[in-house]
Amino acid sequence: MSHNIEQLQRHEIPNRVRFVPGNGDLTKTVVTTNTSAAEIYLHGSHVTGFQKNGESPLLFMSDKSLFAPGKAIRGGVPICFPWFGSREGLPAHGFARVMAWELVATTALPDGGVCVRFRLPENAGGANAFLGKVDFIVTVNDALTMELHVTNPVAEPLIFEECLHAYFSVGDINDIAITGLKGAHYLDKTDNNARKLETGDAIKIVSETDRVYLDTTGAVEIHDAKLRRIIRVEKGGSASTVVWNPWIAKARAMADFGDEEFRGMVCVEAGNVGQNQITLASGKSSALKVKLSSPPLK
Ligand code: TA6
């Protein structure tokens, strides 16, 4: 579905929200507040940028990303839904991130922030149609808050996985430490999904890292010594946290990712995947919430 920019422009808010043709002629929402800026494509309801005024971008975007219907954008915050990971003959990480979402509303907030609500088209997913109602709400101020709301309108329970697969921009992958996961168990996807216990106060990335931490609800922090900042990932309604860096070989193997880009990014993803998948009873709703902030590293 291509978006009618003229119709979208009725939702524009002077000096706060505008809709413009973005990369690949996909429609982009440009949000400006007194303290920050953000960009969200209607394709995948995909946040591709967030930056506090005077700071370097918080989110990583690959210079090689595709911007095309049916293709995932590489970087920012892909919405993995209604499944996580690969499925034979189906799009990896679900279909939500590779299809056009609809705009529901734009709101200027009293604190100078902006809220934008998107909706997954009804019965999205063709043969694998998801029967729930899915909204994605982005709130921009000096933090970036994202919420994935799912409501079950049918008589049967809905079972799904969900993950806000955030790519963060870091000064140097060798100079970061990730805290907040000590004591959690994880599946190590670089070691045949072996179940392991996180024993370190801080996780350093020194090789390909692909870990699904389970039954963990706490905040995670990326301490970036080079950019002198902490990226704080607070979450609600989430029992899983995924940590990923492709490192050298995987970076080279991805056509939509620069060979050296692994040095400036790390993914810390909040969701409900694997054994933490959601079973949503008829008539019930769920909310996956992530708040990103970036205090200075003292
Ligand atoms: O979240 C980590 C992960 O599942 C990795 O295994 C890797 O596949 C990454 O997601 C990127 O997946 P994508 O389908 O976007 O290339």
Side-chain angles (χ1 to χ4, degrees):
M1 168 179 65
S2 66
H3 291 92
N4 180 324
I5 282 207
E6 287 70 38
Q7 281 183 344
L8 290 170
Q9 285 168 342
R10 287 207 300 264
H11 294 274
E12 290 190 337
I13 302 174
N15 304 317
R16 286 285 181 265
V17 181
R18 57 196 172 92
F19 295 93
V20 300
N23 293 329
D25 213 22
L26 297 174
T27 304
K28 181 169 73 171
T29 317
V30 178
V31 174
T32 311
T33 77
N34 301 333
T35 56
S36 61
E39 296 184 348
I40 312 141
Y41 278 78
L42 279 97
H43 175 71
S45 191
H46 196 127
V47 178
T48 52
F50 175 68
Q51 187 167 6
K52 285 198 306 192
N53 297 346
E55 282 205 13
S56 57
L58 194 72
L59 300 176
F60 164 85
M61 273 299 300
S62 173
D63 292 340
K64 293 178 170 264
S65 177
L66 299 174
F67 288 86
K71 298 291 184 188
I73 293 171
R74 177 69 66 191
V77 186
I79 298 175
C80 302
F81 185 89
W83 64 82
F84 183 82
S86 55
R87 289 236 175 133
E88 187 63 39
L90 293 170
H93 290 326
F95 49 74
R97 68 174 179 167
V98 295
M99 62 184 302
W101 290 53
E102 298 157 350
L103 178 75
V104 177
T106 57
T107 310
L109 300 173
D111 68 358
V114 167
C115 180
V116 187
R117 179 185 285 256
F118 303 91
R119 180 162 294 156
L120 189 66
E122 298 239 328
N123 298 323
N128 298 280
F130 184 75
L131 301 178
K133 177 168 153 290
V134 186
D135 279 11
F136 185 58
I137 304 144
V138 182
T139 303
V140 184
N141 45 41
D142 60 354
L144 175 71
T145 303
M146 299 169 286
E147 301 175 62
L148 190 64
H149 290 189
V150 182
T151 299
N152 181 357
V154 298
E156 305 74 31
L158 293 176
I159 299 173
F160 58 90
E161 295 174 294
E162 56 187 356
C163 191
L164 300 183
H165 191 301
Y167 287 70
F168 294 104
S169 179
V170 299
D172 182 337
I173 191 64
N174 298 309
D175 288 345
I176 69 164
I178 299 170
T179 64
L181 289 164
K182 182 176 182 179
H185 285 89
Y186 64 94
L187 303 180
D188 186 343
K189 292 173 69 175
T190 68
D191 186 10
N192 297 315
N193 275 338
R195 181 179 170 88
K196 301 177 179 177
L197 174 69
E198 184 55 66
T199 55
D201 291 323
I203 299 163
K204 304 285 283 179
I205 307 293
V206 295
S207 62
E208 180 187 353
T209 304
D210 194 347
R211 303 177 183 178
V212 180
Y213 290 84
L214 296 165
D215 302 326
T216 176
T217 57
V220 170
E221 292 187 343
I222 303 165
H223 290 235
D224 186 331
K226 190 159 186 181
L227 294 182
R228 305 301 306 152
R229 73 178 172 192
I230 293 171
I231 297 177
R232 184 165 294 144
V233 183
E234 297 169 80
K235 62 178 196 172
S238 163
S240 316
T241 297
V242 181
V243 176
W244 179 58
N245 182 285
W247 211 247
I248 298 166
K250 282 280 172 59
R252 288 204 180 120
M254 292 189 286
D256 62 345
F257 190 88
D259 289 355
E260 300 298 314
E261 287 185 326
F262 72 95
R263 301 182 188 284
M265 58 69 70
V266 68
C267 287
V268 174
E269 312 157 28
N272 294 290
V273 305
Q275 66 183 55
N276 294 142
Q277 69 178 17
I278 300 286
T279 298
L280 192 61
S282 176
K284 298 295 183 191
S285 294
S286 65
L288 165 60
K289 181 170 180 178
V290 173
K291 179 181 177 182
L292 305 179
S293 55
S294 55
L297 179 62
K298 294 191 172 54

